Amino acid sequence: SQQGEEDPQALSIQEGENATMNCSYKTSINNLQWYRQNSGRGLVHLILIRSNEREKHSGRLRVTLDTSKKSSSLLITASRAADTASYFCATAPPGGSQGNLIFGKGTKLSVKP
Amino acid sequence: DADVTQTPRNRITKTGKRIMLECSQTKGHDRMYWYRQDPGLGLRLIYYSFDVKDINKGEISDGYSVSRQAQAKFSLSLESAIPNQTALYFCATTSGNWGDTQYFGPGTRLTVL
């Protein structure tokens, strides 16, 4: 069963704008990760936030985590056409096997030049 | 060279045929995974392995089998392929430590006619 649900399913913006994607999950987590997938390619890890963290930055990426609401958001600032991809959140439940992740269905981001 | 490789990258086969998808990794990790991706459904776990002697079913293992030939190699077989197994298949590996990420292969696009 899938744990994370991304919102929106699809997002289209202009280059230079910020893109915000949200992820909601159902059970408690050890950590939450965001991955990026270019069309038809393998997933690439972007950023990980632990359950005791509220915000994390990496370059133009900002991730927040609200464990009380069981939600996370990924913000991409000053987007570029090269950011066009699908973005997935993945959760690591504390009761599950270490290393196993449960992926959401993804948000498809299109950045127009 | 890529950390996780998959062969073949594309395969078209007919209903009833036996198919094997292969995965190799050079990360030196013990844990390996096979996922299936369908449009709009995200990634679903088929099988995972914690070491050569430890194989576990995932969410959608029916119709699939796996073999862990070595720490670095994990194969997925479709004993008798059917059209609804048409999908994008990904292999991944991780150390299994809390907070580690999964490293994905480039994927195999399988079409069953």
Side-chain angles (χ1 to χ4, degrees):
Chain A
S1 61
Q2 285 175 309
Q3 162 87 301
E5 289 285 342
E6 290 90 342
D7 171 59
Q9 291 185 340
L11 179 61
S12 182
I13 59 174
Q14 294 293 133
E15 208 166 27
E17 294 179 341
N18 295 342
T20 299
M21 289 158 269
N22 302 296
C23 171
S24 59
Y25 56 93
K26 299 174 184 175
T27 66
S28 60
I29 59 171
N30 175 282
N31 65 75
L32 185 146
Q33 305 180 27
W34 284 91
Y35 287 78
R36 165 191 168 130
Q37 182 185 32
N38 286 54
S39 182
R41 309 286 289 273
L43 278 70
V44 176
H45 177 258
L46 292 176
I47 195 166
L48 179 151
I49 187 164
R50 301 180 194 281
S51 60
N52 61 352
E53 297 176 313
R54 292 297 167 257
E55 188 171 313
K56 205 160 182 182
H57 297 255
S58 177
R60 294 184 295 113
L61 305 180
R62 173 180 168 248
V63 169
T64 62
L65 179 65
D66 186 334
T67 53
S68 66
K69 295 181 179 179
K70 292 187 171 59
S71 67
S72 174
S73 67
L74 171 67
L75 168 67
I76 303 174
T77 60
S79 63
R80 306 166 181 168
D83 294 327
T84 294
S86 291
Y87 293 81
F88 295 87
C89 69
T91 53
S97 299
Q98 287 182 222
N100 286 19
L101 296 174
I102 304 174
F103 288 84
K105 298 179 181 180
T107 291
K108 192 169 186 177
L109 173 65
S110 176
V111 181
K112 299 178 181 179
Chain B
D1 289 341
D3 294 324
V4 184
T5 57
Q6 292 183 235
T7 57
R9 295 293 312 280
N10 289 281
R11 182 72 183 268
I12 300 173
T13 191
K14 294 182 178 180
T15 297
K17 293 291 187 181
R18 184 178 188 274
I19 296 297
M20 179 180 284
L21 309 183
E22 298 186 337
C23 174
S24 294
Q25 54 101 353
T26 58
K27 298 290 291 182
H29 292 332
D30 287 328
R31 301 191 175 205
M32 297 186 73
Y33 301 80
W34 275 105
Y35 293 95
R36 167 180 172 156
Q37 185 178 35
D38 298 273
L41 293 180
L43 271 73
R44 293 183 291 168
L45 183 61
I46 306 173
Y47 269 96
Y48 61 102
S49 170
F50 288 168
D51 64 38
V52 175
K53 297 181 180 179
D54 187 350
I55 306 287
N56 304 277
K57 292 183 177 180
E59 179 187 354
I60 53 164
S61 59
D62 288 348
Y64 302 94
S65 63
V66 291
S67 173
R68 185 80 183 269
Q69 300 96 325
Q71 186 202 36
K73 297 185 182 294
F74 193 34
S75 300
L76 176 71
S77 293
L78 287 67
E79 297 301 326
S80 180
I82 56 176
N84 78 359
Q85 290 178 314
T86 293
L88 195 52
Y89 290 85
F90 289 102
C91 174
T93 188
T94 184
S95 67
N97 296 321
W98 283 120
D100 197 7
T101 66
Q102 290 195 5
Y103 301 87
F104 282 80
T108 294
R109 186 170 296 280
L110 177 66
T111 302
V112 183
L113 302 176

